Amino acid sequence: DDNGVYTAYRFTIDHDITSATKLLAKQLRSSPFMVLQGAFNLWVSTMTGVTDVVLPTITSGRVDPRFYDTVGPLLNFVPVRTDLSECRTFRDVLTQTRNTCLEAYSYEIPFSEVFAEAPGVFATFADQNSAVHALEVFQFPVGADGSRIGDIRVSEMRRRLETDLDTSDIPDGVLWALDIHPDGDMVGSVRFNSNDVDLSTAVRWVDDYVALLRAALVDIDTALDALPAPAR
């Protein structure tokens, strides 16, 4: 899809990868997001050569008790900083990612306050030669499609998630979204500013990420340098 400057590249990840992701998450007492984020951290690190990886994600944003009963979506942009320098296997990456996510969630504060305290962390946003990536994962329980949550059905909610993530709200960068469907596949999208990133690059990024994820899930104790390396 192309909407002027902003473009969305949509793709699917097959049932085998989705099942392996959910099973591994259960075995490691993690969430599917943490497994996918671990692979995402590794993909970014391998592509850039950086081992101190900072990736923003989106959380519910209901960290202030005043908003617990507020109706409507409340989102918070949370930077998650993961040190991969001592990681030798994908298991190491997942352990580090899980620990980092749990710590970030426990100390979550509004994005504006994080920016005020550590503006240097977000310097990449101002660099026109860089692409800042953010990852978000949505998951609906098996059998939920067609059921109701409040006044809308899950199928309608999914359509809203897939279409209402307005790329005009993306801070100069790239927003990755993965939706784990009850039918066993993952449906994803990469949304980006087409003045900064061309479609062929986005397609290559997705292909490289999926190839890395697939290989890493086969044996999480495989040495990192034996996994497929994304093109830089």
Side-chain angles (χ1 to χ4, degrees), residues 87-141:
C87 294
R88 299 294 177 263
T89 66
F90 189 52
R91 183 187 297 274
D92 295 338
V93 172
L94 293 178
T95 299
Q96 191 70 2
T97 299
R98 179 182 185 275
N99 293 340
T100 301
C101 285
L102 292 177
E103 184 176 9
Y105 300 155
S106 66
Y107 291 105
E108 183 180 351
I109 60 176
F111 178 76
S112 57
E113 294 184 24
V114 178
F115 181 80
E117 291 294 327
V121 173
F122 306 99
T124 310
F125 284 101
D127 185 352
Q128 294 300 313
N129 296 315
S130 300
V132 178
H133 294 260
L135 173 68
E136 180 55 22
V137 177
F138 305 105
Q139 183 173 14
F140 295 92

Side-chain angles (χ1 to χ4, degrees), residues 193-204:
N193 186 323
S194 56
N195 284 336
D196 299 328
V197 177
D198 59 55
L199 180 59
S200 63
T201 298
V203 172
R204 189 186 77 238

Side-chain angles (χ1 to χ4, degrees), residues 35 37 53 72 83 107 114 135 190 215-216:
V35 175
Q37 175 83 342
V53 180
D83 182 5
Y107 291 105
V114 178
L135 173 68
V190 177

